[in-house]
Amino acid sequence: MYIYRLQILSSKSYSEEQLNNVIGVSSNFPHADWGIEIIQSDENFSGILVYFLSLLEGKYEKLESIGISREDISIWVLYEYEGQCNMEYDPVSMKKIGENGIVLCISCWEKEGELS
């Protein structure tokens, strides 16, 4: 299972409604100031990245006007694995993240076996 998350954490004060209006979608992740979480059974980093960046690109000035800087924004990949965990990301995706000044966070954990 892959979990992808676009997350905004900021110490500035703004309403979730303001942020929803700027981004164009509503948050579905209650554990951050604002976030979109997508859960998939297959790896689809490039497709999800394109979607997340489409929500942000061209909106950084509006985000800054309500107190959100690029440093407040992160994209997460969370993955539960069995055996070995390998991830590989194409240069185009990595370049797009860098050009947008967005942090990429990766969290992996080994799937717990069944208790006997």
Side-chain angles (χ1 to χ4, degrees):
M1 170 177 62
Y2 290 86
I3 301 170
Y4 300 98
R5 186 179 304 145
L6 172 61
Q7 183 170 296
I8 297 176
L9 295 172
S10 175
S11 59
K12 306 289 184 192
S13 117
Y14 54 84
S15 73
E16 185 175 321
E17 183 179 345
Q18 282 178 301
L19 194 45
N20 289 343
N21 289 335
V22 171
I23 301 290
V25 296
S26 296
S27 173
N28 72 352
F29 183 69
H31 306 291
D33 293 351
W34 188 93
I36 294 290
E37 186 171 83
I38 298 172
I39 300 171
Q40 294 191 326
S41 58
D42 297 333
E43 194 276 332
N44 184 19
F45 180 72
S46 294
I48 299 295
L49 178 64
V50 167
Y51 172 65
F52 284 164
L53 292 178
S54 75
L55 296 176
L56 298 169
E57 289 176 329
K59 300 174 184 172
Y60 294 115
E61 280 187 31
K62 288 181 183 177
L63 290 168
E64 287 178 12
S65 75
I66 62 170
I68 298 168
S69 67
R70 292 179 197 226
E71 292 81 29
D72 299 321
I73 303 169
S74 57
I75 293 175
W76 287 76
V77 178
L78 300 101
Y79 179 63
E80 180 181 54
Y81 67 93
E82 290 183 68
Q84 184 175 341
C85 178
N86 296 317
M87 293 186 179
E88 138 180 341
Y89 300 107
D90 65 277
V92 173
S93 296
M94 299 310 298
K95 183 177 179 188
K96 285 204 64 84
I97 290 172
E99 289 171 345
N100 279 270
I102 305 297
V103 171
L104 174 63
C105 306
I106 300 172
S107 180
C108 304
W109 62 95
E110 190 167 7
K111 185 175 183 175
E112 294 184 18
E114 293 183 21
L115 300 175
S116 22

